[in-house]
Structures are given as C-alpha cells and as structure tokens.
Amino acid sequence: MMGPAHSLSGAAAWLGAGAVADALGHRMPWPVLLVGTLICAGAALAPDLDQKSATISRAFGPLSKALCGVIDKLSETVFNATRGRGERRRSGGHRTLTHTWIWAVLIGTGFSALAVLGDRWAVLVILFIHAVLAVEGLLWRMARVSSDILVWLLGAVSAWLLADLLDRSGNGANWLFTGPGQEYMWLGLPVVLGAMVHNLGDALTISGCPVLWPIRIAGRRWYPLGTPRFMRFRAGSWVEVKVLMPLFMVLGGIGGVSALGVI
C-alpha cells in the first residue's frame, strides 16, 4: 500500500486498541489515545525504510535518504544470508527484513527503552519523529508541496505540546506501566502496532509480505503471506483509495468514540 493508506490504517489500529482497552476496563486517557494514534500513524510508514522512493525517505531530508540506503543494503544482506534453497538471491531489500514481526518488536522495544532511559528528551525525540511521519503520511499531498522545514517545525511544536500534556497528572504518562521511571514505556506499543499494520496492509497487495520470517513455510523462510490471489490488488489502485482508505476512516471513527466511552 501507499503512504496515506498505511498511516490511516495505523491511526485506525490504535483507536481500535483504545476501544479494546476500554472494553477490558482499562480505558486510555484521551491524551494517550491522541498521542498513540499519532505515533501509530507515523510508525505505519517506518517499515518502508528499506525503499529509497518511499514517503519516509523524504521525511527528514538527506538523513532519512541515507538511512533508507543503509537499511536497504542491510535487508538485502540478511535476505541473501538466510534465504531457503528455493529462494533466489536479491539485489535490493524492499519487503524483507523491515517487513517482519521480529523487526516490529525490536523497533518497538528500542523506542520503549529509549523512553525509559532517556527521560523527557527521549520522549520529545520519539514524538517528533512520529509526528513528522504522521504529517507526511496523513497529509501526504500538502506535505509534498510544503517546505520540509515547516513540517519539521510542526513536528517539533507538536512534540513539545504533547509531552507537556502527558506530563500533567492524570493524563496518562503512567497509563500502563507505573513503576519508577517506567511511565513512558508504553510508547513502544503503538510503534509495534503501526509496523505490524503496515505489514498486514502489504500482505493484501500482489507481492504479499514475509511477516513471519524466519519461520519456514512451504520450504521458504521469506514466504510472502497474503490473501488469496484473486483478492489482492496493486498498491495505489482504486481498491486501496476508494475502498480501504474510507473503511479505515470509518473504523477509526468508531474505535475513537468507543475508546472515549461515547458509545
């Protein structure tokens, strides 16, 4: 799928998680719902770090372009080193390492550890990165015609305001983990969820997605999981734009009002 659909699916996923949390009697404070939705929408772009032409490659200028090149090469190397007998060598690592459950968990764990060890400045960095990615994904067309600096300023201001909001008593910094220094450990959860939603979205397209690597399926470690062939579509096709994106909006809206206890 394309960037806007990925970000919309990420936002809808966290709003849905909020509805589930409410049903289980552990309602998210509204700032947690807001911040988690923003992070999840941004994190849903991150697996495409292995593709130099992806939306995420332009999010942070030369830095993100260089990072995409490094991740692409790393993913290619890992694929060729772990491929099964029936899998051909690849030049390019798109839809390999960063599109697996292991990568999603590692990245989410890394951000949780950063939030715990780095305290407020780490939280600000996490919020800034994902706010910028969310703008690039959800406001794709407007972000394309605007200055990168304006998007970064919006991300920085949003990060500062949201961090202040969460710090206020009762607003949810310790919504899930209450131990000393663990207040922001939950920030890794929307990162994991966003990455996994991205992978599941790509599994709906023609190429499928090797979500379960390195589990061997049909003799292949990089087996591209997906729906039945007749149900798959090309990224950016009318199915994605006219069916899935409106569906994500509706599901996100329902999840949001349910998470807030409105229905």
Side-chain angles (χ1 to χ4, degrees):
M1 291 199 299
M2 306 297 285
H6 279 311
S7 285
L8 269 177
S9 67
W14 187 258
L15 291 168
V20 172
D22 180 61
L24 295 176
H26 198 67
R27 179 179 296 175
M28 294 179 186
W30 70 265
V32 171
L33 190 67
L34 172 63
V35 171
T37 299
L38 186 70
I39 292 177
C40 203
L45 293 181
D48 278 343
L49 271 171
D50 61 3
Q51 186 180 26
K52 296 177 183 177
S53 61
T55 301
I56 193 174
S57 70
R58 67 176 296 275
F60 301 98
L63 179 61
S64 53
K65 286 186 179 295
L67 182 59
C68 282
V70 171
I71 298 298
D72 178 34
K73 191 62 179 178
L74 172 64
S75 299
E76 175 191 326
T77 301
V78 172
F79 176 90
N80 289 330
T82 62
R83 64 192 175 93
R85 290 184 178 179
E87 296 170 311
R88 297 180 179 178
R89 290 184 63 84
R90 291 186 56 159
S91 58
H94 183 46
R95 287 203 188 183
T96 55
L97 179 62
T98 62
H99 287 68
T100 65
W101 70 271
I102 289 181
W103 179 271
V105 171
L106 287 176
I107 292 299
T109 301
F111 275 114
S112 285
L114 180 63
V116 171
L117 299 175
D119 202 31
R120 180 178 174 81
W121 285 106
V123 172
L124 286 171
V125 169
I126 294 169
L127 292 176
F128 169 72
I129 290 172
H130 291 94
V132 170
L133 292 179
V135 170
E136 291 284 354
L138 296 174
L139 304 178
W140 181 73
R141 292 189 184 279
M142 287 181 278
R144 285 278 171 138
V145 299
S146 66
S147 165
D148 285 342
I149 295 177
L150 290 178
V151 176
W152 299 339
L153 285 174
L154 178 60
V157 171
S158 298
W160 192 271
L161 293 175
L162 291 171
D164 279 344
L165 182 64
L166 286 174
D167 277 341
R168 296 174 190 170
S169 178
N171 276 3
N174 61 347
W175 162 70
L176 195 57
F177 301 101
T178 57
Q182 297 179 359
E183 291 84 359
Y184 288 102
M185 189 182 292
W186 64 269
L187 289 178
L189 295 178
V191 174
V192 176
L193 182 59
M196 286 305 298
V197 167
H198 177 112
N199 296 340
L200 294 176
D202 278 351
L204 299 175
T205 62
I206 290 175
S207 300
C209 188
V211 184
L212 295 182
W213 176 85
I215 298 173
R216 190 184 295 274
I217 301 174
R220 301 169 65 181
R221 291 198 182 277
W222 296 92
Y223 187 84
L225 291 176
T227 52
R229 288 286 178 181
F230 74 91
M231 295 177 63
R232 301 189 191 186
F233 56 88
R234 293 187 181 278
S237 69
W238 67 270
V239 175
E240 178 179 329
V241 176
K242 296 186 177 181
V243 177
L244 291 183
M245 289 179 67
L247 179 62
F248 294 151
M249 292 181 190
V250 171
L251 293 177
I254 295 172
V257 295
S258 296
L260 294 172
V262 177
I263 60 173

